[in-house]
Amino acid sequence: MSFPDVMEKLVSLSKRRGFVFQSSEIYGGLGSVWDYGPLGIELKRNLQERWWHAMVRSRDDIEGLDSAILMHPRVWEASGHVGGFVDPLVDCKFCQGRFRADKLQDAQCPRKPSKKPGEHSECQLTEPRQFNLMFQTYMGPVQDEASIVYFRPETAQGSYVNFKNVRESSRKKIPFGIAQIGKSFRNEISPGNFVFRMREFEQMEMQYFVAPGGPPAAAAFEDWLPRRKAWYEAYGVTPARLRLREHAPDELAHYAKKAIDIEYRFPFGWKELEGIHNRGDFDLSRHAAASGQNLEYFDPATEEHFTPWVVETAAGADRAAFTFLIDSYREEQVKGETRVSLALHPDLAPYKVAVLPLLKKRPEIVALCHQIKDDLKRDVMAVYDDTAAIGKLYRRQDEIGTPWCVTVDVDSLEDGAVTIRERDSMTQERVGVDQVKRVILDRLTAARP
Ligand code: ATP
């Protein structure tokens, strides 16, 4: 199996097993908008919970925030998004295709044989024109210029405009951060590659406010960059498939002093997974000027007033979920059969445990299964399944990444013990029924980074 094959297999597995569905599928789907099924939402929630733990709950210097998707339209003028959140768009007058002028190398002309836009002799690409990526709508009953509001294209601005609220209410001293998880919207010109580039997606962003002047931001940058890369590795991403890529000066966003992407080697090439940005004092200065509010920080130690600089860690929850799925996909030959498994970190796996009966015809076995499963469910995500023979039940759980299966057999009724099977090694261990939950919780704790 070559790495690019994984894409096709994962897209099919995602639909078949309930990770990801196309939005509004029964109406033919909506371009690059996706829904998370029962297992997908568990995976995404788990990774968001681990991010929140790493970025907020385990830290003394970062506070959480959940700012609204809709914000005052002047936020987006001050941030530069109304004027500058644009991609260069080219149309093909021959095939009506629309492409990002700066990503033609990654795009495909819809006509056969498959070529890049501009490579067929009939291609007629227009000059690039700037296309703003923000979705807009109207607030209130009158639909005019004055009532335009935007669906936020990033969560970061909510953290900047709440800088003063968060600092004053939490009495934080600099350096400190504000972290958010939430939906963002971008009217991407050339979306695609499954959930890699979506028009509605979820971000996990943290803004770290430091003293101005350069060195404090440089130090924060040097601290966050390896920390964020290590986070992906701690949850199982293959280190050799991660790399750092610094933005060249002509590639830097208008606000950025320095930007390094953590990239993953997706089946379609090295692409951004998360960006670490030194944004200087651009954001707070712009919002202070536009709102007329004083957003400076008073440092009691030096008795100075200053506008903090910001180091941002900007990740995507969907892109991370996709990465964990791709990276954990395994195929191997076991007893002449192909075993598919997702070697997901136990913290990320949708189900932690499946409780399975060896003989579903014995009501006592089924009853014991339910008793074990119900007890587990008080603490972890567990499921019961008896819709196939045991070998098939194991394969089904392997395929969705369940790290442990508990099997109840005839002997269990006599000796009060059950078998715990581990997904990756397929080794089995006999454990007393009253010990099952402790063993699972211990293993979960032991696996936690
Ligand atoms: P790209 O270059 O891929 O368009 P970006 O540099 O515009 O990304 P940022 O604005 O830095 O991305 O957003 C931070 C993170 O949000 C990205 O690293 C990515 O994980 C996620 N993200 C951004 N755009 C999308 C999208 N359209 N679909 C899914 N995730 C996204």
Side-chain angles (χ1 to χ4, degrees):
M1 180 189 58
S2 73
F3 190 48
D5 287 348
V6 174
M7 262 308 261
E8 214 174 290
K9 294 186 175 181
L10 259 185
V11 173
S12 131
L13 187 151
S14 291
K15 177 168 163 124
R16 191 163 38 80
R17 299 307 310 272
F19 280 93
V20 177
F21 307 127
Q22 201 179 11
S23 161
S24 325
E25 190 185 271
I26 60 169
Y27 288 97
L30 183 66
S32 288
V33 185
W34 298 90
D35 297 338
Y36 283 82
L39 297 185
I41 183 59
E42 289 297 330
L43 168 66
K44 190 158 102 161
R45 287 225 168 135
N46 289 340
L47 81 86
Q48 289 176 329
E49 193 277 323
R50 293 324 297 162
W51 185 90
W52 193 257
H53 184 267
M55 303 300 280
V56 180
R57 294 200 171 149
S58 69
R59 309 234 358 158
D60 296 328
D61 57 347
I62 301 183
E63 298 290 327
L65 178 73
D66 182 17
S67 66
I69 288 169
L70 299 176
M71 300 175 77
H72 196 291
R74 289 185 58 206
V75 167
W76 305 108
E77 287 166 22
S79 69
H81 283 82
V82 171
F85 193 53
V86 290
D87 276 341
L89 170 72
V90 291
D91 297 279
C92 177
K93 288 191 171 157
F94 187 79
C95 74
Q96 320 302 328
R98 292 218 157 107
F99 314 99
R100 250 174 87 167
D102 57 337
K103 298 260 161 122
L104 287 180
Q105 282 311 307
D106 294 343
Q108 267 200 333
C109 173
R111 290 181 311 125
K112 300 283 171 221
S114 140
K115 288 189 177 182
K116 302 204 181 312
E119 288 183 353
H120 283 285
S121 54
E122 297 93 345
C123 289
Q124 291 177 40
L125 298 185
T126 59
E127 283 299 306
R129 61 189 161 92
Q130 298 302 333
F131 172 80
N132 195 300
L133 300 185
M134 282 198 294
F135 281 98
Q136 63 179 51
T137 186
Y138 301 96
M139 190 170 243
V142 183
Q143 302 200 345
D144 60 11
E145 278 286 305
S147 64
I148 288 177
V149 289
Y150 302 96
F151 285 64
R152 70 175 174 203
E154 61 176 34
T155 63
Q157 299 303 323
S159 297
Y160 304 137
V161 301
N162 277 295
F163 168 73
K164 215 171 148 194
N165 285 335
V166 173
R167 184 180 62 74
E168 286 177 2
S169 59
S170 64
R171 298 192 305 279
K172 278 277 169 289
K173 291 202 173 68
I174 269 175
F176 80 93
I178 302 179
Q180 290 214 57
I181 297 179
K183 288 263 176 145
S184 294
F185 302 81
R186 295 183 188 179
N187 198 359
E188 302 274 5
I189 297 170
S190 42
N193 282 327
F194 198 35
V195 294
F196 176 80
R197 192 175 297 286
M198 304 154 87
R199 291 194 165 110
E200 174 179 343
F201 57 100
E202 216 156 352
Q203 290 188 306
M204 308 189 291
E205 297 194 303
M206 191 277 297
Q207 315 303 317
Y208 203 69
F209 301 92
V210 300
F221 198 102
E222 292 311 312
D223 179 50
W224 279 108
L225 184 63
R227 203 180 274 284
R228 290 304 308 147
K229 182 162 173 279
W231 185 81
Y232 293 99
E233 292 170 359
Y235 287 100
V237 174
T238 309
R241 289 191 190 146
L242 288 172
R243 75 174 187 192
L244 302 178
R245 191 183 70 81
E246 179 154 9
H247 286 211
D250 62 344
E251 200 190 346
L252 279 178
H254 58 281
Y255 53 77
K257 294 203 173 311
K258 179 173 177 166
I260 295 186
D261 290 344
I262 301 173
E263 292 191 334
Y264 178 74
R265 188 163 66 84
F266 287 94
F268 40 89
W270 288 99
K271 301 278 174 210
E272 173 178 339
L273 181 55
E274 171 160 350
I276 316 295
H277 311 129
N278 175 350
R279 304 175 64 121
D281 66 1
F282 178 83
D283 306 284
L284 290 183
S285 299
R286 293 279 292 213
H287 286 305
S291 66
Q293 300 284 316
N294 181 358
L295 300 182
E296 286 186 330
Y297 173 82
F298 174 68
D299 188 343
T302 59
E303 303 207 327
E304 277 177 341
H305 291 269
F306 57 74
T307 302
W309 283 30
V310 171
V311 171
E312 170 189 56
T313 69
D318 312 274
R319 222 173 261 187
F322 186 36
T323 303
F324 286 120
L325 280 175
I326 291 175
D327 206 75
S328 66
Y329 187 89
R330 309 269 186 279
E331 276 184 15
E332 63 190 312
Q333 291 304 311
V334 177
K335 295 185 190 145
E337 267 183 49
T338 305
R339 179 173 95 112
V340 173
S341 64
L342 294 180
L344 287 169
H345 187 284
D347 273 337
L348 303 184
Y351 296 129
K352 312 302 173 203
V353 192
V355 185
L356 314 169
L358 201 69
L359 266 185
K360 71 168 174 183
K361 287 196 193 113
R362 293 283 296 270
E364 315 93 288
I365 292 183
V366 173
L368 185 53
C369 282
H370 281 292
Q371 179 196 317
I372 295 170
K373 181 255 311 166
D374 289 341
D375 184 37
L376 282 165
K377 260 180 175 276
R378 295 156 70 101
D379 294 283
V380 296
M381 193 70 183
V383 66
Y384 169 79
D385 190 9
D386 67 5
T387 54
I390 192 70
K392 194 152 186 198
L393 293 179
Y394 283 150
R395 294 288 178 271
R396 277 190 199 157
Q397 295 301 326
D398 291 342
E399 195 186 41
I400 59 171
T402 309
W404 299 291
C405 289
V406 170
T407 310
V408 179
D409 53 29
V410 181
D411 291 345
S412 309
L413 303 175
E414 300 296 320
D415 64 5
V418 293
T419 302
I420 301 184
R421 170 191 180 268
E422 200 271 331
R423 176 195 65 207
D424 300 336
S425 61
M426 293 186 280
T427 50
Q428 305 198 354
E429 191 187 333
R430 202 81 185 153
V431 170
V433 168
D434 54 349
Q435 292 302 308
V436 170
K437 187 149 93 180
R438 175 84 348 255
V439 170
I440 297 290
L441 292 177
D442 284 351
R443 288 186 185 185
L444 269 170
T445 310
R448 182 157 288 171

